[in-house]
Amino acid sequence: MFGYHGKAMMVDLTARTVDWYPLDEDVLRRFIGGTGLGAYLLYKFCPPGVDPLAADNPLIFVTSPLVGSRLTTSSKFAVLAKSPLTGFIGDSLSSSFLATELKKAGCDALVITGKSVSPTLLSIEDGDVDFLDATDLLGLSTSETEDVVKTRLGRITRVACIGPAGERLVRYASIANDGGRQAGRTGPGAVMGSKNLKAIAVRGRAPVPVYEPASLKEIGKDLTRRSLGPATEKYRTLGTMANVAVFNRLGTLPTRNFQQSTFDLAEDVSGEQFVKTHHVKNAHCANCTIGCEHIVATTDNGTSSKGRMEYESAFALGPLVGVGDANAVIRASHLCDELGMDTISAGATIAWAMECFERGILTMKDTEGIDLRFGNSDALLATLGLIAEREGIGDLLADGSRAAANAVGQGSADWAMHVKGLEMPGYEPRSLKTMALGLAVSTRGACHNRSSAYEADFSSRVDRLKADEKRGRITMDGEDFSAVLDSLIWCKFLRKAFDDFYKESAQVYEHITGWSMTADDLRRAGERINNLKKLFNMREGWTRKDDGLPQRVLEQRLTTGMVQGIGLTREELDMMVQSYYGARGWTENGTVPEEKLRELELLDIDAESLDSVFASVQTTPLPE
Amino acid sequence: MIEAKGAESESVTVRIELFGSARLAVGQRQVSLGLPRTASVTEIAGALADAHPELVGKVIREDLSGLIESFTLNLNGNEFVDDGPLRLRAGDSLLLFSSQAGG
C-alpha cells in the first residue's frame, strides 16, 4: 500500500493495551484521511449517546495520504471526539511535525479509548507503546510540558499535550503540539484530560512510500512555486491579522459581545499596526513554504510575552471583549496557548460574562472583586487564569457560554453567542449573510472554517447584506470543498494557488496512492463526509432547532458603522437554511434521507446505529 | 438622474482607502485620486500607479493593466468591483485590500 499504512492504532488506556484496526482501500478512498477518515472512525467507535467526558468517548488523531509526502502545507492532522462543548461531532486541525512523526510511527490514525487510573504520558515509538507516569507533569503549562517530555524522551520526539485547562476539563481546552500549535476548537483537550492523559510523545522512523515519487516531486516543486506567489500574499505579509482593519471598515468585526460590529480602537490591534510595532519574525508550519505565522511580542513595561498571533485570537481577546491594547491582546493570546484553551471560546465566554456584569446580573461578589467590564484588560487576564484553574467565576465560565447562561439564567442566554454550544468566530453574520448560513448549519457549531462561506460575501458573487436562496448551494459547495481540503489535508491558505483544485488534488492522490481518483470522486467524497458528520449529529440528538443563530443576531439590528440598521430576521435565516437543505437533498426537516445515504455509499457505515438514527428522524419536530 | 452633457469626461476626486500591503507600501491609510466619472479597474490602477509608483509590482501589475490578483477593490464598502467600468461620484471611497478572505 502506498500513501497509507492501512491501519489505525487502537490504544485502550483502561486496560493499557494496544491493538490494530485494519483500514482497507474502500474505506480509505471513500473517506480519504483527516477529518473525513476521522468522522468515519468516530462514528464507528463512539458509543451513541456517550458522555463526551466519559472513558468511552474516543479521542482520535488522524493523518492523511499527503502527510510524509513533503508537499507544501501537507504536515497536518485532525483530532476528533464527541465534543464536550457541543455534544455533537468535534473536529480540529493542526499543523506540525507531530503529523509526520505519527505517520512514520506506522499508523494512519491513533484511536485512544478508556481512562488511565493515574496521569499518563503515552509514548509511541515505531508502533511500540509505553504508558509512562506523568504525575510530575501535572500543573505544567503546555510549553513546560513539552520541554520536560523532550528532556525525558529525546529532543527529536514530537509532543501533543494539554495544559492546566485540559487537566481541569475546561470544555474548550485545546491540545497543544510541537512548539505551541493548537488543535483548538470543540474541546479536544478536555477529552484528553478526562482520560488522565497529559501528553503523547511520538517518534517514528518508518518511511512512507509513495507510488510515483519522481512525478510527485515535480508537482511539489510547482506547488511550492505557486505557494510563494500572489495567491498567498496576504498570509505572508500580514497574516490573518490583516482582517481586523478591513472587517472594521466593512462593519463585520464583532465587538463587545456582538453588540456592535465596529470597534473604535480597531486600528490599534490591526495587522498593519502589529507589523509596525510588535512583529518579531515570520514562522512556518512543518513542511510549509507559505510562512503565514507572525510572531509578535509585547513592547510595554509589563510582563514580557511573545507568541503567534492570528485574527481569531486578536478578535476574541480584543474587540469582542472591548480591549484595544495590543500588548494585552498578545498576553491574553499567549496565556491561552500556555494554559491550553481555545482563544475564541475563551474570549467569547468572557465577553458574555462582561455583558452580564455590565447589566448587573453578575456582580463584584460573583467575580470576587474583578471589575469585569468591557475593555478591562487586567480583568480579562485574571479571568483567563481562573477559568483554567476552575476557580471562582472561572468554574462557571469553564463550561462555555451556553452552559454558563443556562446556569445564570435571567435572560442571559439571549446574549450567549454560540451555535450548538460552540462560540462564534470573528465574522458578524448580520453583515455577512452567506456566513450566517454557514455558521447556522455547520456540524461542529459556529465555525467559519468548515464552510468558508465568508468567501462569497467578500466577492461580487452575492450582496453580503441581503439574504437569498442562492446561499444554500454556495454554502454546501463551500462545505464539500472544505471537507476535501481537510481530509487530504491541504492548508486552507493554499487553496487559491490551485488552478483546478479538484483535478489537481485527484492527480496528487493518484501519484501518492497509485489508486485511481477523479475530480468527481473527490467532490463526492466531500459530500459523503459532510453527510456522515450530519449523521453523527442526528445520532446524538440533533434537531432542526440546532441549525440556528443566537437570539441577538436575529432580533437586534446593527448599530454602528456603514452597516447601521442592517439585521437578519428569522424568516430570512429559515429561508436560507431551507435552501441549504434543498441543495443537499435532505428533507425539509434537515435530516438525511436513506436514499441520499445509498447514493453516497454510506448505508454500510453502521447498520445498527443507522436504525436508531432513522427511528429518531420520524419523531423530529419542525421548529416553532 | 440626468447628467449634464459632457459629464462623462469630467473627473471626480475619490478617496482610496488602503489596507494591508497597500497601506504598508504607501505609508498612509488613505489617499485622494482624480478619476474619470466612469472608470475601469485598469484606469484606476493606472492613476494610482502614477500617484504612488511604490505600489507597482506589489499591488498593481507591472504592466499597469490592473491589480495583482491578490487584491480587490470595493466601492464604498458595498460593491466588490470586477473588471467592468465603475460609475463614480465625488466623495466616493474605493477600498483596496486583499482578495484573500478569511483566517
Side-chain angles (χ1 to χ4, degrees):
Chain A
M1 193 177 277
F2 295 95
Y4 293 108
H5 293 287
K7 57 187 177 181
M9 179 187 285
M10 312 291 293
V11 174
D12 183 338
L13 288 169
T14 306
R16 299 210 161 198
T17 58
V18 180
D19 204 350
W20 295 91
Y21 181 80
L23 296 167
D24 64 24
E25 178 181 342
D26 174 59
V27 165
L28 294 170
R29 283 164 57 96
R30 278 193 294 162
F31 301 100
I32 305 174
T35 57
L37 183 58
Y40 170 82
L41 292 168
L42 185 66
Y43 198 96
K44 205 139 195 81
F45 292 110
C46 181
V50 73
D51 176 346
L53 297 179
D56 285 347
N57 187 17
L59 179 65
I60 304 172
F61 293 73
V62 196
T63 65
S64 81
L66 267 61
V67 172
S69 69
R70 302 179 73 96
L71 292 169
T72 185
T73 82
S74 63
S75 288
K76 297 177 80 74
F77 64 97
V79 184
L80 291 95
K82 182 177 176 181
S83 167
L85 201 53
T86 69
F88 293 132
I89 190 166
D91 61 290
S92 241
L93 293 168
S94 193
S95 302
S96 78
F97 284 112
L98 185 82
T100 38
E101 213 65 25
L102 189 58
K103 192 154 176 187
K104 286 196 293 181
C107 60
D108 299 310
L110 167 64
V111 181
I112 302 169
T113 55
K115 178 178 181 178
S116 181
V117 290
S118 59
T120 296
L121 161 61
L122 190 69
S123 173
I124 299 170
E125 186 166 353
D126 292 326
D128 293 328
V129 176
D130 278 326
F131 300 85
L132 305 176
D133 179 54
T135 306
D136 61 324
L137 301 176
L138 287 184
L140 297 185
S141 72
T142 56
S143 67
E144 290 168 339
T145 302
E146 180 169 343
D147 197 47
V148 172
V149 172
K150 286 190 165 196
T151 300
R152 190 188 297 181
L153 299 175
R155 304 309 295 182
I156 197 76
T157 301
R158 304 295 174 178
V159 179
C161 66
I162 56 173
E167 291 176 32
R168 285 164 184 75
L169 311 184
V170 174
R171 286 180 184 262
Y172 41 89
S174 59
I175 296 177
N177 60 95
D178 200 15
R181 289 176 173 79
Q182 308 285 333
R185 302 233 75 191
T186 67
V191 177
M192 193 159 156
S194 74
K195 297 183 178 305
N196 257 333
L197 184 58
K198 174 68 177 174
I200 303 168
V202 188
R203 179 82 174 98
R205 297 176 186 82
V208 185
V210 298
Y211 185 67
E212 294 182 23
S215 53
L216 192 69
K217 193 173 178 182
E218 291 307 308
I219 291 172
K221 281 183 191 171
D222 185 44
L223 261 180
T224 294
R225 179 187 58 77
R226 286 190 258 168
S227 77
L228 297 169
T232 62
E233 188 275 344
K234 165 182 150 180
Y235 303 112
R236 286 179 282 123
T237 309
L238 287 179
T240 56
M241 284 291 291
N243 291 352
V244 175
V246 178
F247 281 24
N248 187 56
R249 177 64 176 86
L250 296 176
T252 64
L253 180 65
T255 297
R256 297 185 185 88
N257 199 32
F258 286 79
Q259 293 183 89
Q260 295 96 33
S261 61
T262 60
F263 184 45
D264 47 359
L265 300 173
E267 290 290 350
D268 293 349
V269 290
S270 67
E272 292 86 342
Q273 187 61 36
F274 269 77
V275 160
K276 275 197 275 187
T277 54
H278 296 279
H279 186 258
V280 177
K281 63 176 183 179
N282 281 21
H284 296 243
C285 293
N287 288 321
C288 175
T289 49
I290 298 173
C292 73
E293 292 183 330
H294 293 254
I295 309 298
V296 297
T298 51
T299 55
D300 62 6
N301 293 326
T303 310
S304 172
S305 190
K306 186 169 86 171
R308 297 177 184 84
M309 182 57 70
E310 300 292 342
Y311 166 68
E312 288 296 339
S313 301
F315 128 82
L317 302 166
L320 195 67
V321 289
V323 170
D325 174 356
N327 287 304
V329 174
I330 293 170
R331 279 191 192 95
S333 176
H334 186 57
L335 185 57
C336 284
D337 286 351
E338 287 295 309
L339 296 171
M341 292 195 294
D342 174 31
T343 52
I344 302 175
S345 285
T349 304
I350 291 175
W352 168 85
M354 285 176 161
E355 186 165 348
C356 288
F357 190 87
E358 293 200 345
R359 287 170 178 258
I361 291 172
L362 292 177
T363 65
M364 292 285 259
K365 188 179 171 192
D366 296 310
T367 63
E368 297 179 45
I370 295 174
D371 185 25
L372 199 57
R373 293 180 189 282
F374 287 111
N376 185 343
S377 54
D378 290 339
L380 169 68
L381 292 164
T383 306
L384 288 172
L386 292 175
I387 290 171
E389 298 296 335
R390 277 192 179 268
E391 287 180 358
I393 189 76
D395 191 37
L396 173 75
L397 304 182
D399 288 331
S401 60
R402 178 171 67 178
N406 287 339
V408 166
Q410 302 183 65
S412 65
D414 291 357
W415 60 86
M417 303 305 289
H418 67 86
V419 176
K420 301 181 179 73
L422 185 71
E423 283 72 21
M424 304 259 285
Y427 295 79
E428 170 52 61
R430 284 163 287 192
S431 53
L432 297 168
K433 295 294 196 292
T434 322
M435 188 72 261
L437 176 60
L439 294 171
V441 299
S442 174
T443 50
R444 75 167 184 170
C447 170
H448 58 296
N449 272 329
R450 295 295 178 265
S451 68
S452 300
Y454 51 76
E455 285 215 332
D457 291 319
F458 290 113
S459 78
S460 59
R461 292 173 67 194
V462 301
D463 181 342
R464 69 185 173 96
L465 302 180
K466 291 181 182 165
D468 64 47
E469 292 183 334
K470 284 192 301 186
R471 309 308 170 90
R473 179 75 203 196
I474 292 171
T475 299
M476 182 191 87
D477 287 345
E479 285 184 334
D480 292 350
F481 174 83
S482 297
V484 174
L485 204 72
D486 296 342
S487 297
L488 278 167
I489 308 168
W490 296 112
C491 175
K492 276 204 165 52
F493 297 165
L494 192 68
R495 67 195 186 281
K496 300 276 189 184
F498 293 97
D499 295 322
D500 184 334
F501 169 76
Y502 285 108
K503 186 178 169 189
E504 292 175 56
S505 293
Q507 286 170 349
V508 166
Y509 187 90
E510 288 187 332
H511 282 80
I512 289 176
T513 64
W515 297 336
S516 68
M517 180 67 77
T518 67
D520 283 343
D521 291 338
L522 273 185
R523 274 197 196 86
R524 181 54 61 95
E527 184 182 5
R528 180 182 301 118
I529 290 162
N530 279 311
N531 275 268
L532 178 59
K533 288 179 172 185
K534 179 60 179 278
L535 211 56
F536 180 89
N537 283 358
M538 285 167 58
R539 194 179 75 178
E540 299 305 316
W542 175 94
T543 65
R544 168 66 180 83
K545 67 178 171 50
D546 290 307
D547 284 355
L549 288 170
Q551 187 146 328
R552 163 160 292 156
V553 171
L554 299 174
E555 295 192 350
Q556 295 177 14
R557 291 179 179 274
L558 296 171
T559 57
T560 60
M562 64 157 293
V563 293
Q564 191 171 3
I566 297 293
L568 172 65
T569 65
R570 285 182 196 283
E571 292 72 25
E572 287 172 326
L573 179 62
D574 284 347
M575 173 263 291
M576 291 196 293
V577 169
Q578 287 307 134
S579 75
Y580 171 81
Y581 293 162
R584 281 244 172 259
W586 292 349
T587 69
E588 64 175 16
N589 249 349
T591 55
V592 186
E594 192 170 339
E595 56 266 31
K596 175 58 74 175
L597 299 184
R598 186 173 294 109
E599 177 192 326
L600 295 173
E601 303 164 275
L602 278 170
L603 275 177
D604 66 329
I605 193 78
D606 183 345
E608 193 176 322
S609 71
L610 275 181
D611 287 344
S612 68
V613 167
F614 287 118
S616 73
V617 168
Q618 308 304 319
T619 57
T620 301
L622 278 168
E624 291 176 5
Chain B
M1 192 169 84
I2 300 171
E3 294 191 34
K5 195 172 181 182
E8 289 296 321
S9 61
E10 293 173 11
S11 70
V12 292
T13 301
V14 303
R15 184 169 55 193
I16 311 288
E17 297 182 38
L18 305 170
F19 296 91
S21 301
R23 186 189 291 184
L24 296 179
V26 174
Q28 299 175 55
R29 289 186 188 175
Q30 59 184 54
V31 296
S32 293
L33 203 61
L35 290 171
R37 272 187 192 280
T38 302
S40 65
V41 173
T42 302
E43 288 173 304
I44 295 168
L48 193 56
D50 284 345
H52 293 282
E54 63 271 30
L55 290 172
V56 177
K58 290 180 180 168
V59 177
I60 298 167
R61 290 180 187 158
E62 297 278 2
D63 63 4
L64 308 185
S65 62
L67 301 177
I68 290 173
E69 65 191 71
S70 50
F71 292 88
T72 191
L73 279 172
N74 178 294
L75 180 61
N76 296 321
N78 292 318
E79 184 183 343
F80 283 86
V81 180
D82 287 331
D83 293 334
L86 199 60
R87 292 186 67 82
L88 297 168
R89 292 180 300 184
D92 275 344
S93 281
L94 279 168
L95 283 56
L96 175 56
F97 56 88
S98 172
S99 60
Q100 293 143 4

